[in-house]
Amino acid sequence: VNTNQNAYATNFELFGWPLGSLVLVAGLLLWAPKARTDRFMLLWLVVLLMIYNLYWFSGGPDFGARY
């Protein structure tokens, strides 16, 4: 449910562009030749997204924002 809400919010924040339009960007990130610093920055991006996902999670134990 949380992933579905995050995908909807991403779709809304991209001015209604469907998430399918990001396939080309994802392909570029996955299959383009990468240097060591590129891999580090991609890892950092994934870690940051995981932290934000826990912060804004709206169910279960209170990991996220306090209201």
Side-chain angles (χ1 to χ4, degrees):
V1 172
N2 190 36
T3 302
N4 190 16
Q5 290 174 346
N6 287 338
Y8 175 78
T10 301
N11 189 23
F12 180 76
E13 292 296 329
L14 289 173
F15 304 110
W17 291 14
L19 287 174
S21 66
L22 296 176
V23 169
L24 296 175
V25 174
L28 178 67
L29 290 174
L30 291 175
W31 290 293
K34 295 173 207 52
R36 184 176 179 185
T37 55
D38 293 335
R39 290 186 190 122
F40 176 74
M41 291 305 292
L42 286 174
L43 176 67
W44 180 246
L45 176 68
V46 168
V47 168
L48 186 64
L49 289 174
M50 288 171 43
I51 290 170
Y52 271 122
N53 195 16
L54 276 178
Y55 181 78
W56 291 111
F57 183 67
S58 61
D62 294 326
F63 291 124
R66 307 296 186 256
Y67 299 105

